[in-house]
Amino acid sequence: MAAKRKEPPIYTLTAGAIAGAVESTITYPTEFVKTQLQLQDGVKGGKVKAGGVAFKGPVDILVSTVRTQGVTAVYTGLSALVIGTAAKAGVRFFAFDQFRYLLRDSEGKTTGVRSVLAGLGAGMTEALFVVTPTETIKTKLIHDANSANPQYRGLVHGTRSIIKAEGMGGIYRGVVPVMARQGANSAVRFGVYSSLNDYVKSRLVPGTPVPAAYTFGIGAIAGIITVYTTMPLDVVKTKMQALNAKQLYSGVVDCAWKVFKNEGVLSFWKGATPRLARLIMSGGIVFTVYEQVIQAIHTAVPAESL
């Protein structure tokens, strides 16, 4: 297999940002449903604590939300996630390409454990600079919309209000589980994707690009594996970013313990179904769009002109 070239930073940032924006817009309803499920204050046995919003499952959330608040309510917090995901994907692909280049072997290849480590580094980088603030804002906007008297009037007002009330730390709530989740997400996703992509390329005529359908399928498989290996981190992350998290939890460990004690071990996989739906589509969409944009850039800007 030929060694992979290092793409110019502007290429990876641009392609990643476009891929992220497209993916988040298409899949947002599944993210909304997942967050709603995780914000329910459940107890063992499936009951809901007094004051909690009682939903029977993913379909019930969609139907109830559309019936009581309209279709646009399913897109509450979308702007925060689209902006965040575009920036996140740009940083992710840029960082992965940089780490992959640094971790290449003597033959210029990055395979196996090296790809996993590059993915881990990319995930930690995106979590610190982009994911934590944007996902905290998104979670608080969704949680606020469920209250009897919502206090946020949109992305800008909500962000300003959170910072005014809690300081910059308010939008960095849950940074530890976010970094753990994003690091694990990218390590698993890029590790699986790179391995499968390299295998497919080895079966093709040298120099032949991987067909878009294959890229989508490889990305979807990577998404499925990612969901079930990192779901507990995602649940703790969401709990830590809720409106009342500061009063409920003293830290990440305390949050995880209370979730386990009050809701049971299976609650760590709460929201897995909508997250699975999102990451199957997400993995397929984001890798496919990224590869297509990179190819389009190479066509528009010949290598010899760089």
Side-chain angles (χ1 to χ4, degrees), residues 41-285:
D41 295 320
V43 294
K44 293 179 182 178
K47 297 180 181 179
V48 176
K49 293 179 181 178
V53 180
F55 292 117
K56 299 174 183 176
V59 175
D60 182 49
I61 288 177
L62 282 175
V63 173
S64 298
T65 301
V66 171
R67 186 176 64 242
T68 59
Q69 301 176 51
V71 175
T72 56
V74 178
Y75 289 89
T76 300
L78 172 64
S79 52
L81 194 71
V82 169
I83 293 170
T85 303
K88 174 179 72 175
V91 170
R92 176 193 301 158
F93 280 102
F94 166 73
F96 178 71
D97 209 48
Q98 301 304 308
F99 281 116
R100 185 177 63 183
Y101 182 75
L102 291 172
L103 292 168
R104 68 194 188 284
D105 60 23
S106 58
E107 297 180 4
K109 301 176 183 177
T110 311
T111 57
V113 175
R114 294 172 187 266
S115 288
V116 172
L117 290 175
L120 179 64
M124 300 285 275
T125 302
E126 66 175 324
L128 184 61
F129 290 103
V130 181
V131 181
T132 302
T134 56
E135 290 219 358
T136 300
I137 293 167
K138 176 216 69 176
T139 300
K140 288 182 182 292
L141 287 174
I142 292 175
H143 202 184
D144 177 67
N146 284 336
S147 62
N149 298 298
Q151 55 183 313
Y152 304 141
R153 297 193 297 271
L155 173 62
V156 175
H157 177 259
T159 303
R160 198 161 48 220
S161 298
I162 293 167
I163 294 175
K164 183 178 179 180
E166 304 180 46
M168 288 302 293
I171 62 172
Y172 266 88
R173 191 78 56 202
V175 64
V176 173
V178 171
M179 290 188 71
R181 186 200 68 170
Q182 291 305 121
N185 269 357
S186 291
V188 174
R189 180 181 282 194
F190 277 115
V192 173
Y193 178 80
S194 295
S195 297
L196 293 177
N197 196 48
D198 288 345
Y199 173 76
V200 171
K201 282 185 175 180
S202 70
R203 297 286 183 171
L204 299 174
V205 175
T208 303
V210 177
Y214 282 41
T215 301
F216 188 96
I218 293 169
I221 292 171
I224 293 171
I225 295 172
T226 300
V227 166
Y228 288 105
T229 54
T230 65
M231 199 65 213
L233 295 170
D234 190 70
V235 170
V236 173
K237 181 274 304 180
T238 300
K239 297 282 190 183
M240 288 291 293
Q241 293 174 336
L243 290 173
N244 55 351
K246 195 173 182 180
Q247 291 75 43
L248 292 176
Y249 313 118
S250 61
V252 176
V253 175
D254 181 55
C255 176
W257 169 248
K258 286 179 178 176
V259 170
F260 172 74
K261 184 175 68 173
N262 297 329
E263 304 178 44
V265 68
L266 292 181
S267 65
F268 285 109
W269 278 268
K270 186 180 288 184
T273 300
R275 186 170 180 237
L276 178 62
R278 183 188 176 195
L279 283 192
I280 288 176
M281 292 187 290
S282 166
I285 293 169

Side-chain angles (χ1 to χ4, degrees), residues 15-67:
I18 292 173
V22 171
E23 177 272 322
S24 60
T25 301
I26 292 173
T27 64
Y28 189 75
T30 61
E31 177 68 16
F32 175 85
V33 170
K34 182 215 72 172
T35 302
Q36 290 281 33
L37 282 172
Q38 292 176 342
L39 286 172
Q40 285 195 131
D41 295 320
V43 294
K44 293 179 182 178
K47 297 180 181 179
V48 176
K49 293 179 181 178
V53 180
F55 292 117
K56 299 174 183 176
V59 175
D60 182 49
I61 288 177
L62 282 175
V63 173
S64 298
T65 301
V66 171
R67 186 176 64 242

